[in-house]
Amino acid sequence: MKKLLSMLLGILGLCGILFFASHQLSESQGSVTTKNTLNLFNWGDYLDPALIKKFERETGYHVQYETFDSNEAMYTKIKQGGTSYDLAVPSDYMIEKMRKANLLLPIDKNKLTHFNNLDPMFLHKSFDKNNRYSIPYFWGTLGIIYNDQKVKASEMQHWDDLWNPKWKDSIMLVDSARDIMGLALISQGHSVNTTNTSEMVAAQSKLNKLSGNVKAVVADEIKLYMIQNEAPIAVTWSGEASEMLAGNSHLHYVVPSEGGNLWFDNMVIPKTAKNKKAAYAFINFMLRPENAAQNAEYVGYATPNKAAKKLLPASVRNDKQFYPPESTIKKLEVYADLGAKKVEEYNDLFLKFKMYR
Amino acid sequence: MKKTRSFFMVPYLAWILLFVITPLILILYQSFTNSAGQFTFQNYVTYGTSWVYLKMSLNSFWYALLITVVTLLISYPTAYFLSKTKRQQLWLLLIILPTWINLLLKTYAFIGLLSQTGSVNQFLTFIGIGPQQLLFSNSSFLLVASYIEIPFMILPIYNAIVQLDPALVNASRDLGATNFQTFSKVIFPLTLSGVKAGIQAVFIPSLSLFMITRLIGGNRVITLGTAIEEHFMTTMNWGMGSTIGVILIVMMFIIMLLTNDRKKKHREVIVDEKETL
């Protein structure tokens, strides 16, 4: 009994010491008040830490970087309003949804110093017509990634190439209903934003025929698997693809020229913002060409900032895989928020496809 | 005396009320609402009339059953021989040790083992029959899920076997029973409570496994856990997610009832004796 008691006390004491130490550590980083803090809510590993330091040094604001791993998770957190995030970086359809739910504050363009650096090609998109609520941060595409040891470039240029019986049991798909349903819709000549049930059902039955070629439907692990040559073909987003390419020189990324998805991650100021001044300071900081370029090089995604693009090395700037030609970009569609009912219909059809054998 | 005892019950009751009863009621309530928050039976109608959900439920049940059978077949002999070895504590520790490691880490370790370039395939190539597709198959899912659940099956069975009075086994032998008879008429029936506890500890969590279905099964194995995750995280239809949750809870209750110990009364007597001590 005595032994048990002393053990218990030992554990409690240890916890106390650790708690005290962590408290001291956070104290030593300077006192944190809403006035000098920027609560940034962003995707994981989506901002060069060196830029955070630079921003803190320049402006004196303390950056509190919090991450989310899905738009839906971010939405729930902002809606519940537990933390007062000053700036968030959601994707296109989610911006539309947040706007409709009155969760965003309009952005005063007079307070922006470098707005003109942005490429007009990436402004005024359907989800936010006049960029009243959002400023582009990164953009990208959905495409096919293949391994040149098993697949010839000429064999993998279009969505329909995935259905080739040659690829039995060799394709990995991202576990995302809109994207996978979308590619089937495009291959049948429909819009990725269709709400026509018969088109959606037709897309799903086309996907069922792909089932024999599909090896797995996975999420982030796709990166690991492709780098390790687990599968020769995968369907994924450009940002993920750039990381895979860095890890395995046999991999290549294609954006099919018939169309696909164009996605954005934009900076928005949520209703919860307590420190709007810091949020504007950060937007301006990120719009500056040298900072946007540094971040694009660190993260590996495509920057919508045309002044920043000029600063990137030619090998990156002219890479057709990640900066596809304008003719292709024009054919790409941005996802619209289709409302809860249709989103569910998409997901139910996708679930049916996943269960189909 | 009685008063102080009920006073000490307060924290436990509060805990159960807050963290067991309230969530259950909330899930039940949510399952009767649609995305607009209105009262509806629609979720249950959808569940009952869609072959997708029925197939998924059967899938979950079938895989949970397979996992339970596999772990039971491995665990019973293991526990039996464990109780006969010397250094039991050491072996027991080695069996428990993997449960200290995070589930996700163990799963990722299996990805490394089973992938095309993993150690298992390297060995298969070495003996001339590889590389084989090991990941994303039903068998790899079964293997990993069983591996993770095995300690929870071994422990209750081991405890039951250790508590078995050796005199009973000796008596059975003295009275002329063969080894098999001793096992089937004496040892197994008397350790059945451990087996039942093990089945509960394995079958119930297996019903709602979802990370492994994606990481190891590559979503080629779809269970109810997958659907719940989707409804809460992607479609945000919490009503439907809760409905599936309620159905899982009902399934679990059925398992509990089926595997409940009939000698419960006997146990309660023992518990009461302990309390009065």
Side-chain angles (χ1 to χ4, degrees):
Chain A
M1 191 62 196
K2 217 169 187 182
K3 207 170 154 192
L4 195 74
L5 200 71
S6 59
M7 221 158 90
L8 201 70
L9 283 175
I11 292 175
L12 278 175
L14 195 69
C15 288
I17 292 168
L18 286 174
F19 178 76
F20 182 73
S22 87
H23 184 72
Q24 282 294 314
L25 267 176
S26 60
E27 279 279 281
S28 68
Q29 279 174 347
S31 58
V32 174
T33 62
T34 39
K35 265 224 160 135
N36 65 4
T37 310
L38 172 71
N39 277 313
L40 184 56
F41 202 24
N42 202 348
W43 300 85
D45 206 22
Y46 216 38
L47 177 61
D48 186 351
L51 282 173
I52 298 183
K53 288 242 168 67
K54 189 177 168 192
F55 176 74
E56 286 181 339
R57 225 177 312 121
E58 261 180 35
T59 59
Y61 290 118
H62 175 80
V63 177
Q64 195 88 16
Y65 191 86
E66 259 189 65
T67 63
F68 55 87
D69 56 9
S70 83
N71 277 304
E72 284 70 23
M74 178 225 52
Y75 179 86
T76 314
K77 263 192 131 174
I78 287 192
K79 200 172 174 194
Q80 282 166 353
T83 315
S84 49
Y85 298 108
D86 300 312
L87 199 74
V89 188
S91 308
D92 36 60
Y93 71 96
M94 189 48 73
I95 293 171
E96 191 174 346
K97 186 172 172 173
M98 291 173 86
R99 194 184 47 150
K100 283 181 191 160
N102 284 322
L103 289 177
L104 299 180
L105 294 175
I107 290 174
D108 182 359
K109 291 217 193 52
N110 296 325
K111 288 188 185 160
L112 300 181
T113 47
H114 297 82
F115 187 72
N116 293 334
N117 285 341
L118 291 166
D119 190 331
M121 201 154 60
F122 304 119
L123 293 174
H124 314 299
K125 288 294 176 187
S126 52
F127 58 90
D128 185 13
K129 275 275 159 52
N130 292 308
N131 285 83
R132 238 177 78 108
Y133 297 95
S134 71
I135 304 295
Y137 185 76
F138 278 127
W139 65 278
T141 53
L142 176 76
I144 304 169
I145 187 155
Y146 64 89
N147 191 318
D148 63 14
Q149 288 169 310
K150 298 250 176 71
V151 184
K152 285 191 226 101
S154 59
E155 289 176 313
M156 197 46 69
Q157 289 300 321
H158 300 287
W159 293 120
D160 273 330
D161 293 337
L162 294 172
W163 272 264
N164 187 340
K166 198 177 164 184
W167 312 127
K168 193 175 172 352
D169 208 21
S170 33
I171 301 172
M172 285 200 187
L173 301 176
V174 281
D175 189 7
S176 156
R178 287 295 294 275
D179 290 299
I180 303 305
M181 285 290 289
L183 76 87
L185 284 166
I186 290 277
S187 75
Q188 290 177 319
H190 301 304
S191 158
V192 294
N193 289 322
T194 186
T195 50
N196 180 329
T197 303
S198 66
E199 284 179 9
M200 286 157 67
V201 171
Q204 193 246 329
S205 52
K206 186 171 180 181
L207 278 180
N208 283 349
K209 293 194 194 98
L210 185 66
S211 188
N213 283 0
V214 176
K215 181 179 242 178
V217 183
V218 281
D220 294 339
E221 310 87 62
I222 231 172
K223 277 188 273 194
L224 178 94
Y225 286 135
M226 288 306 284
I227 292 171
Q228 292 182 347
N229 295 324
E230 184 69 31
I233 303 165
V235 173
T236 190
W237 303 285
S238 56
E240 302 266 291
S242 81
E243 281 177 52
M244 291 182 225
L245 261 57
N248 184 340
S249 59
H250 288 292
L251 297 177
H252 304 274
Y253 180 72
V254 191
V255 183
S257 56
E258 63 267 32
N261 167 237
L262 176 68
W263 55 258
F264 287 92
D265 286 331
N266 283 16
M267 296 182 272
V268 299
I269 303 180
K271 265 261 155 69
T272 54
K274 287 250 169 67
N275 196 346
K276 278 183 252 173
K277 239 175 130 182
Y280 278 107
F282 187 80
I283 293 175
N284 283 329
F285 178 81
M286 286 315 290
L287 283 176
R288 262 160 50 196
E290 69 275 16
N291 297 335
Q294 185 181 339
N295 203 28
E297 267 198 87
Y298 173 83
V299 182
Y301 283 44
T303 177
N305 193 318
K306 61 176 192 284
K309 196 180 155 192
K310 281 196 194 114
L311 297 177
L312 289 171
S315 60
V316 177
R317 200 167 61 210
N318 299 327
D319 191 344
K320 286 256 155 38
Q321 302 176 98
F322 300 107
Y323 291 96
E326 218 181 306
S327 58
T328 304
I329 294 181
K330 285 227 168 89
K331 288 212 186 104
L332 303 178
E333 286 177 276
V334 181
Y335 292 135
D337 173 32
L338 303 175
K341 250 214 163 101
K342 282 291 161 186
V343 169
E344 210 176 327
E345 209 175 316
Y346 267 95
N347 278 282
D348 283 348
L349 286 169
F350 185 58
L351 194 62
K352 271 188 195 163
F353 155 66
K354 285 200 282 188
M355 292 187 65
Y356 184 87
R357 283 251 181 171
Chain B
M1 189 64 205
K2 206 141 199 203
K3 251 188 182 167
T4 43
R5 195 190 272 184
S6 51
F7 174 74
F8 282 123
M9 287 290 282
V10 168
Y12 299 105
L13 284 177
W15 181 273
I16 288 174
L17 195 72
L18 268 175
F19 297 111
V20 180
I21 312 274
T22 322
L24 282 177
I25 291 173
L26 279 177
I27 286 183
L28 196 66
Y29 166 76
Q30 287 255 20
S31 73
F32 286 108
T33 56
N34 59 16
S35 34
Q38 288 148 332
F39 182 85
T40 173
F41 286 108
Q42 191 53 43
N43 295 327
Y44 286 93
V45 175
T46 313
Y47 178 87
T49 52
S50 130
W51 69 267
V52 176
Y53 289 122
L54 289 178
K55 200 177 152 195
M56 223 183 308
S57 314
L58 287 177
N59 254 347
S60 305
F61 208 85
W62 172 240
Y63 279 108
L65 191 70
L66 281 179
I67 293 166
T68 315
V69 169
V70 170
T71 47
L72 183 61
L73 285 179
I74 298 171
S75 302
Y76 200 93
T78 314
Y80 185 75
F81 291 118
L82 193 68
S83 67
K84 300 275 172 279
T85 50
K86 285 177 185 172
R87 311 182 181 233
Q88 289 183 20
Q89 289 307 315
L90 176 73
W91 289 114
L92 213 55
L93 185 74
L94 287 179
I95 288 169
I96 299 172
L97 208 62
T99 61
W100 295 358
I101 299 166
N102 184 295
L103 177 81
L104 225 64
L105 283 180
K106 281 188 279 190
T107 313
Y108 271 101
F110 268 103
I111 292 178
L113 285 173
L114 299 175
S115 71
Q116 290 282 347
T117 49
S119 343
V120 175
N121 262 324
Q122 273 170 7
F123 175 73
L124 289 181
T125 317
F126 177 71
I127 60 170
I129 48 167
Q132 299 282 327
Q133 179 61 44
L134 300 171
L135 278 175
F136 316 129
S137 59
N138 297 344
S139 37
S140 62
F141 170 69
L142 209 57
L143 170 79
V144 176
S146 307
Y147 166 80
I148 284 165
E149 301 290 357
I150 272 177
F152 304 107
M153 185 66 100
I154 292 183
L155 284 177
I157 298 179
Y158 169 79
N159 283 336
I161 293 178
V162 170
Q163 278 165 16
L164 182 69
D165 189 351
L168 290 171
V169 179
N170 290 337
S172 153
R173 292 229 170 89
D174 284 351
L175 293 170
T178 60
N179 274 345
F180 179 74
Q181 279 172 326
T182 309
F183 178 76
S184 66
K185 303 268 185 208
V186 179
I187 301 177
F188 190 71
L190 286 175
T191 53
L192 203 61
S193 61
V195 173
K196 283 175 173 173
I199 290 177
Q200 284 182 2
V202 170
F203 191 91
I204 291 173
S206 302
L207 268 178
S208 54
L209 280 177
F210 77 94
M211 269 323 273
I212 305 171
T213 56
R214 197 184 80 200
L215 288 166
I216 300 290
N219 267 329
R220 313 256 58 194
V221 178
I222 303 269
T223 57
L224 288 174
T226 318
I228 294 181
E229 190 210 8
E230 185 186 287
H231 281 302
F232 276 91
M233 301 304 290
T234 318
T235 59
M236 290 184 156
N237 186 349
W238 290 18
M240 193 67 214
S242 304
T243 303
I244 301 172
V246 169
I247 281 159
L248 267 177
I249 294 170
V250 171
M251 274 182 163
M252 291 170 188
F253 263 113
I254 293 172
I255 300 303
M256 295 282 270
L257 283 179
L258 286 178
T259 54
N260 227 351
D261 220 342
R262 288 210 188 87
K263 285 182 212 134
K264 219 176 170 184
K265 280 202 174 136
H266 173 66
R267 254 201 203 161
E268 272 171 1
V269 173
I270 296 173
V271 171
D272 277 347
E273 273 169 12
K274 268 187 192 156
E275 269 179 357
T276 46
L277 278 177

